[in-house]
Amino acid sequence: MQTARLAFRNLSRQKRRSFLLGGAIAFGVMIVTLIDGFAGAFVDNVSENFSNLLAGHVFVEGVEKSPKGRDLDIIRDDAALREAAEAAGIEAKYVSRRSALQGSLKFAGRTASLAVQGVDFAAESFLAERLALASGSLDNLPRDGIVIPEPIADKLGVETGDRLLVTTRTYSGQQNVGEFAVAAVIKDPGILGSISAYATRDYVNELLDLAPDEYQALSFYLPSLSGMDEAGDRLHAEVSSRLQTFEREAPGAEGENPILAMMRGEDEETWTGVKYRVTTLNDALAQVQQIVDVLETASLVILLVLFLIIMVGITNTFRIIMYERIREIGTMRAVGMQRGQVRGLFLWEALFLALGGAVAGLAAASLVMLGVGLIDFGLDSPLFIILKNGHMSFRLDWASVALKVAIVAFLTLAAAFLPARSAAKLDPAVALRTAV
Amino acid sequence: MSIIELAEVRKTYPLGKTEVQAVKGVSFRIERGDFISIAGPSGSGKTTILNMIGLVDRPSGGEVLIEGKPTSKLADRELTTLRHETLGFIFQSFNLIPVLNVRENVEFPLLLGAKRQPRKEAAEWVDFLIEEVGLSDWKGHRSNELSGGQRQRVAIARALVTKPKIVLADEPTANLDSATGEQIIELMKKINRDLETTFIFSTHDAKIVDIADHVVRLRDGLVTENFRRERAGAEA
Ligand SMILES: Nc1ncnc2c1ncn2[C@@H]1O[C@H](COP(=O)(O)OP(=O)(O)O)[C@@H](O)[C@H]1O
Ligand SMILES: [Mg+2]
């Protein structure tokens, strides 16, 4: 019977009390684990969803100043960008070159506004794989074919084969009108997907008054999220050596939204020709990372606050335990237990309580995660951007879990330390004659 | 050399602003193999003296010598080690550890010291002692499943497990009916003969005092009588 085993059995003496204290510890651990798990998955899911929405991880846009000083989106020199991408060693899984118009679609007196992405479907074969169609097909897409999301189709009351009127503006701001033929309807695309439709880049360019070889946004979809900033930096350097570029700002510099900062900055300057901007998904996600940082700090603060309260309970309980077992302590001291062993007995008991509570808390958190993960929020949920395929998901960093468990164990031991020391310091004669 | 010697031992307890003189200068010797009764009415200082002999309490004055060695200057750690190696304890209220079963209670002191016996030897010794106190069928039971007499038998086995030279028992029969009490004293006497362990027990029961071969009688913290009975088989 080692001290540890005796301590373990002592825990079972007052089951209700042990369950209450262990339960409090478990509750704290569960809350913190849930926050951590949520924060961990949050950044993953948002990145994933953003990269799907934005069709990539590293982006190049071109901006030209109109004679009136307006910013016009256009990429004119694709050859130089290709060279730059190659020189920068960008190994993209997919590359997309898109134009986009913002327009009103009209059908039988009904109107819907949305963004129409002009896509080179032959080059972006992956897009066809990703779009789940409710009706129609992307094969043999006519030049004026359009693929619209289901909510828009419902709103306009159109089916595949119907023709729509579109009013829009050219890239330089002139009114323009055209006609689309509904080629396919996208099934349940989610909240952000439902404001974009897809059409051929040729026809979108025509409506925007762009040349067939011109476009507005170049995106690289990288094989993985890591290395995206380095890729962005290399690409920026290569583009800068060939074309005019905007400064590349560090993501989230000084806590400012880098996109807002860039937008503000460009109003003041003027230039001729096209100036190129290289951004990455991380620039857009800088804000997301800040949220994650806040969540992680909050989880640590909650852990500490909860445990300060729990520690008071632990200290008091161990004091009570000391008085309840005072004669037993006297007996053990009499038969040869050293002070340090008495202290050890208490601390082992506290450690088992902490570990038991932590394991129970982790188990409870796992169950909650599993349960919440089963709920289908649907792809059109307003939470879409933080979900994974419409489900809440969690990701735990095991090193951080281990650290939190260690903190919990340490705090529990600290809380039990003073009562343990008092128990060890008891005069055996006093302990033996104290009636309980 | 006496196994225990008390030399002018005094003990005062603080009591409010004054103090109580519980033991007022007591000297006597205990010889190896004695079966000695510290007798006296309640409040006469029996527990106080046994605690000082047992090194769980320190005298306010005088000296307790164990095997000729003075103990008043020893540190807590050394006293604890000395208790563990030399002394066994039997208490009035048995004081078994409730979460441990009979066997574990008996074994408990063996697991405290720095020295470890070989496992098999220790296990055989524990079983022998349990057999000796007649609890072989109760090894797996916890103390709340035992009668008072059985509990005190467990306590006796526990007191002997470290093979101490001296066993101290403060009113070991006070919480038992008289028949059971006598059986317990007889058991202690048998072990005293078989293992030659020195037994020191306190009591205020005259019938039990009669079984002792050495009696130290106390009254108000002073020795009033100290005598040996000559008996067949008892050492002088
Ligand atoms: N902790 C204490 N504080 C004050 N007085 C005590 C304390 N312990 C014992 N006494 C007093 O010392 C005297 C001897 O007590 P004790 O040794 O317990 O006697 P006994 O065991 O013979 O009944 C008694 O008068 C008792 O009241
Ligand atoms: Mg007493």
Side-chain angles (χ1 to χ4, degrees):
Chain A
M1 176 72 36
Q2 266 80 37
T3 316
R5 267 170 66 200
L6 183 59
F8 187 75
R9 289 208 200 162
N10 276 339
L11 257 190
S12 67
R13 282 167 86 156
Q14 290 269 350
K15 291 203 177 61
R16 216 167 68 97
R17 186 168 66 196
S18 297
F19 273 116
L20 275 174
L21 268 189
I25 293 171
F27 178 75
V29 169
M30 181 188 79
I31 295 292
V32 167
T33 307
L34 286 177
I35 296 176
D36 280 359
F38 176 75
F42 184 81
V43 74
D44 286 357
N45 293 347
V46 173
S47 311
E48 181 73 21
N49 290 329
F50 260 141
S51 48
N52 282 334
L53 274 171
L54 301 177
H57 303 115
V58 177
F59 316 104
V60 182
E61 305 163 82
V63 183
E64 191 174 59
K65 281 284 180 199
S66 76
K68 288 177 188 155
R70 281 188 50 190
D71 289 342
L72 309 176
D73 290 339
I74 186 164
I75 290 176
R76 290 197 193 274
D77 197 350
D78 185 49
L81 292 179
R82 265 176 211 274
E83 262 176 44
E86 192 157 321
I90 306 289
E91 283 177 31
K93 222 160 124 193
Y94 319 117
V95 179
S96 72
R97 294 179 167 77
R98 291 186 182 177
S99 304
L101 61 81
Q102 187 66 40
S104 291
L105 299 181
K106 294 193 170 68
F107 182 78
R110 285 182 257 196
T111 304
S113 344
L114 79 172
V116 180
Q117 303 275 339
V119 178
D120 180 352
F121 281 93
E124 290 195 39
S125 54
F126 53 93
L127 180 64
E129 287 161 26
R130 252 203 353 253
L131 293 177
L133 300 184
S135 66
S137 155
L138 294 177
D139 303 332
N140 307 316
L141 193 73
R143 196 174 113 81
D144 61 352
I146 188 168
V147 184
I148 56 172
E150 210 167 19
I152 301 288
D154 291 346
K155 191 173 174 191
L156 294 171
V158 294
E159 292 175 359
T160 48
D162 289 334
R163 295 191 74 80
L164 306 167
L165 196 67
V166 57
T167 58
T168 184
R169 286 173 187 276
T170 66
Y171 90 101
S172 57
Q174 310 299 311
Q175 291 276 358
N176 203 357
V177 183
E179 228 181 53
F180 279 122
V182 178
V185 174
I186 310 161
K187 199 165 154 182
D188 204 9
I191 186 82
L192 282 145
S194 55
I195 53 166
S196 294
Y198 298 91
T200 64
R201 197 175 70 207
D202 276 358
Y203 190 56
V204 170
N205 275 2
E206 183 183 318
L207 292 171
L208 287 168
D209 195 22
L210 296 180
D213 61 338
E214 290 171 344
Y215 60 100
Q216 293 176 313
L218 172 64
S219 321
F220 299 91
Y221 198 108
L222 302 181
S224 85
L225 291 177
S226 61
M228 129 185 17
D229 288 319
E230 292 77 4
D233 290 342
R234 288 198 310 270
L235 183 62
H236 180 260
E238 293 298 336
V239 174
S240 300
S241 72
R242 292 170 174 82
L243 300 162
Q244 309 185 72
T245 52
F246 292 99
E247 281 294 303
R248 181 158 155 66
E249 295 188 25
E254 280 143 36
E256 209 178 15
N257 184 329
I259 291 171
L260 287 178
M262 281 185 256
M263 282 173 169
R264 222 187 5 261
E266 76 193 33
D267 286 339
E268 291 152 15
E269 40 179 331
T270 187
W271 63 90
T272 54
V274 181
K275 208 168 162 178
Y276 293 88
R277 174 185 295 132
V278 178
T279 53
T280 67
L281 183 63
N282 277 349
D283 299 338
L285 289 177
Q287 299 286 301
V288 174
Q289 189 55 51
Q290 281 174 20
I291 295 173
V292 169
D293 290 347
V294 167
L295 280 174
E296 277 170 359
T297 310
S299 102
L300 200 62
V301 170
I302 290 173
L303 179 79
L304 293 177
V305 169
L306 265 177
F307 270 87
L308 275 182
I309 299 166
I310 293 170
M311 278 170 82
V312 173
I314 291 169
T315 304
N316 284 334
T317 306
F318 274 87
R319 246 179 228 299
I320 295 169
I321 287 175
M322 181 186 97
Y323 285 110
E324 279 173 359
R325 300 188 195 152
I326 192 158
R327 242 215 341 237
E328 196 174 313
I329 294 166
T331 306
M332 293 190 295
R333 293 282 283 124
V335 304
M337 195 178 235
Q338 297 285 1
R339 283 182 171 161
Q341 291 173 303
V342 173
R343 196 171 52 228
L345 190 61
F346 272 67
L347 294 179
W348 273 110
E349 190 168 341
L351 184 67
F352 285 130
L353 191 69
L355 294 182
V359 167
L362 290 177
S366 306
L367 283 180
V368 170
M369 290 178 191
L370 211 66
V372 171
L374 288 177
I375 301 170
D376 189 352
F377 290 93
L379 288 168
D380 55 353
S381 158
L383 296 170
F384 159 80
I385 202 76
I386 65 164
L387 299 177
K388 187 173 190 169
N389 301 323
H391 292 267
M392 197 93 131
S393 73
F394 298 89
R395 183 174 60 82
L396 284 174
D397 170 7
W398 291 107
S400 145
V401 168
L403 176 72
K404 300 260 158 73
V405 170
I407 291 175
V408 165
F410 174 79
L411 293 180
T412 307
L413 287 175
F417 184 78
L418 283 182
R421 202 179 61 161
S422 308
K425 278 190 166 175
L426 280 170
D427 180 341
V430 173
L432 277 170
R433 74 169 158 260
T434 306
V436 190
Chain B
M1 181 186 59
S2 307
I3 192 162
I4 287 167
E5 182 180 346
L6 277 70
E8 277 306 308
V9 168
R10 279 175 291 108
K11 181 72 184 181
T12 52
Y13 291 110
L15 188 74
K17 282 188 182 125
T18 61
E19 36 184 43
V20 187
Q21 291 207 323
V23 175
K24 304 167 181 168
V26 162
S27 303
F28 63 90
R29 290 163 181 268
I30 297 170
E31 303 307 326
R32 206 170 295 272
D34 267 4
F35 194 69
I36 175 175
S37 167
I38 310 288
S42 182
S44 57
K46 303 184 295 294
T47 298
T48 305
I49 284 181
L50 253 73
N51 279 349
M52 290 188 291
I53 296 173
L55 308 177
V56 292
D57 209 353
R58 291 173 187 272
S60 313
E63 185 67 78
V64 175
L65 298 98
I66 308 265
E67 298 189 293
K69 266 197 329 214
T71 56
S72 62
K73 303 237 163 31
L74 297 181
D76 182 81
R77 166 168 286 278
E78 295 164 310
L79 289 175
T80 305
T81 305
L82 199 53
R83 283 199 299 274
H84 183 248
E85 288 172 355
T86 316
L87 301 164
F89 290 85
I90 297 167
F91 304 92
Q92 183 177 330
S93 329
F94 325 127
N95 293 18
L96 301 183
I97 296 168
V99 288
L100 304 184
N101 64 29
V102 166
R103 202 172 189 293
E104 291 163 340
N105 261 291
V106 172
E107 192 187 19
F108 181 73
L110 283 185
L111 304 169
L112 293 174
K115 294 175 211 151
R116 287 283 150 86
Q117 269 178 280
R119 232 165 216 285
K120 189 161 163 280
E121 219 171 276
E124 281 170 6
W125 175 237
V126 169
D127 287 332
F128 168 78
L129 288 174
I130 293 172
E131 176 91 49
E132 193 74 3
V133 299
L135 289 173
S136 293
D137 295 338
W138 296 84
K139 282 178 192 166
H141 293 256
R142 288 198 177 178
S143 66
N144 59 3
E145 297 164 328
L146 304 179
S147 70
Q150 287 174 318
R151 291 182 201 191
Q152 202 59 302
R153 287 164 187 273
V154 178
I156 290 170
R158 176 178 68 185
L160 294 166
V161 78
T162 54
K163 301 183 179 157
K165 297 194 173 98
I166 305 152
V167 170
L168 295 148
D170 189 12
E171 305 210 35
T173 61
N175 282 345
L176 302 172
D177 62 74
S178 57
T180 312
E182 272 169 52
Q183 284 167 15
I184 289 293
I185 296 295
E186 287 301 342
L187 176 62
M188 284 165 48
K189 179 80 198 166
K190 177 176 181 292
I191 291 162
N192 164 250
R193 276 194 308 260
D194 293 354
L195 305 177
E196 294 176 8
T197 309
T198 307
F199 270 80
I200 308 166
F201 63 98
S202 71
T203 184
H204 59 262
D205 183 337
K207 263 177 82 179
I208 287 171
V209 177
D210 286 346
I211 306 173
D213 50 31
H214 181 177
V215 177
V216 171
R217 207 174 287 281
L218 296 177
R219 175 171 288 276
D220 295 333
L222 286 169
V223 176
T224 55
E225 233 184 326
N226 180 359
F227 64 92
R228 285 172 183 280
R229 290 194 186 93
E230 292 307 322
R231 249 183 225 181
E235 287 179 59

